């Protein structure tokens, strides 16, 4: 089953962008996944192809119209399309590796790249949009966020990464940040590679990497440590 992604955007020429390069681009060429990009303005009904209007109740900026966005979603989702419908939004649930893995295991996603002050709440509820956030910051639009989400998911698809084992040891795979990595030269500006990594003792290496992953996570993301502790099974 091909992972099928559909993007609804006001700027279709932004795609595939970086998704057409490197791992994602090669997988796209090989048909491991597909990308359909739809211009939301094609669903507008007036000669100006209007997609937004002033917010009800007043306030700055503009809001994406419910009727136009709903029509764009309906056109992109034929009957029986069970792909999740995502809205990239700073007020959404933060994206994490667990959600990415779930998406990668499915048949794809329909992703709405929001713009302006947001999308009319009625279409969010009426079309069952799941709001997804990349973090506690605001972008000019959802296109870059959509690219980031798809890149994260596509790299997990079977056949995309050359070494599947690497996905099992990278950051967040087991709830920890990834351990430090080293390569040649053996000595860089007076700093050698840690001796344990050149020892050939795979047991010691595994222990060192685990210890370093715990140390880095405790220093930089104590919330992940707390989450691990809270989800440990009771003795």
């Amino acid at each position: 089953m091909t992972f099928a992604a559909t993007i609804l955007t006001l700027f279709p020429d932004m795609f595939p962008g970086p998704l057409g390069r490197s791992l994602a681009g090669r997988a796209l060429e090989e048909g491991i996944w597909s990308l359909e990009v739809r211009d939301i303005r094609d669903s507008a009904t007036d000669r100006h192809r209007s997609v937004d209007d002033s917010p009800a109740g007043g306030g700055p900026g503009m809001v994406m119209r419910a009727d136009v966005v709903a029509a764009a979603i309906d056109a992109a989702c034929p009957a029986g399309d069970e792909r999740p419908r995502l809205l990239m939004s700073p007020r959404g649930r933060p994206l994490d590796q667990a959600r990415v893995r779930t998406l990668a295991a499915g048949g794809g996603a329909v992703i709405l790249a929001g713009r302006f002050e947001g999308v009319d709440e009625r279409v969010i509820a009426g079309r069952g949009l799941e709001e997804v956030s990349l973090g506690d910051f605001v972008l000019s639009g959802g296109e870059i966020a959509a690219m980031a989400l798809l890149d994260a998911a596509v790299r997990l698809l079977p056949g995309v990464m050359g070494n599947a084992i690497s996905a099992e040891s990278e950051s967040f795979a087991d709830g920890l940040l990834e351990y430090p990595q080293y390569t040649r030269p053996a000595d860089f500006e007076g700093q050698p590679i840690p001796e344990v990594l050149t020892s050939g003792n795979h047991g010691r290496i595994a222990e060192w990497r685990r210890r370093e992953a715990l140390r880095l996570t405790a220093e930089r993301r104590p919330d992940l440590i707390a989450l691990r502790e809270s989800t440990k099974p009771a003795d």
Side-chain angles (χ1 to χ4, degrees), residues 134-215:
L134 291 192
D136 296 338
F137 56 90
V138 180
L139 297 170
S140 298
E143 287 78 12
I144 293 175
M147 291 177 191
L149 182 150
L150 285 177
D151 183 80
V154 167
R155 64 191 296 277
L156 297 183
L157 299 177
V160 175
M161 283 197 290
N163 183 2
I165 296 176
S166 66
E168 299 173 4
S169 60
E170 60 191 8
S171 290
F172 309 114
D174 63 352
L176 298 174
L177 300 184
E178 189 176 8
Y179 49 78
Q181 297 280 10
Y182 298 85
T183 188
R184 290 181 287 185
D187 188 288
F188 174 68
E189 296 183 348
Q191 299 184 68
I193 294 174
E195 178 274 332
V196 64
L197 298 180
T198 59
S199 68
N201 187 319
H202 297 295
R204 287 183 60 206
I205 291 171
E207 290 176 6
W208 180 89
R209 286 175 168 170
R210 183 68 174 178
R211 199 163 54 244
E212 286 296 294
L214 284 165
R215 178 185 63 81

Side-chain angles (χ1 to χ4, degrees), residues 3 86 93-106 130 132 134 148-157 170 172:
F3 181 92
L86 311 179
R93 174 185 172 186
L95 183 66
D96 57 21
Q97 194 67 11
R99 185 68 182 103
V100 170
R101 283 196 296 266
T102 300
L103 286 171
E130 174 191 346
V132 179
L134 291 192
L149 182 150
L150 285 177
D151 183 80
V154 167
R155 64 191 296 277
L156 297 183
L157 299 177
E170 60 191 8
F172 309 114

Side-chain angles (χ1 to χ4, degrees), residues 1 11 31 59 64 74 97 116 132 164:
M1 177 178 63
F11 299 95
M64 296 182 74
D74 293 345
Q97 194 67 11
F116 313 120
V132 179

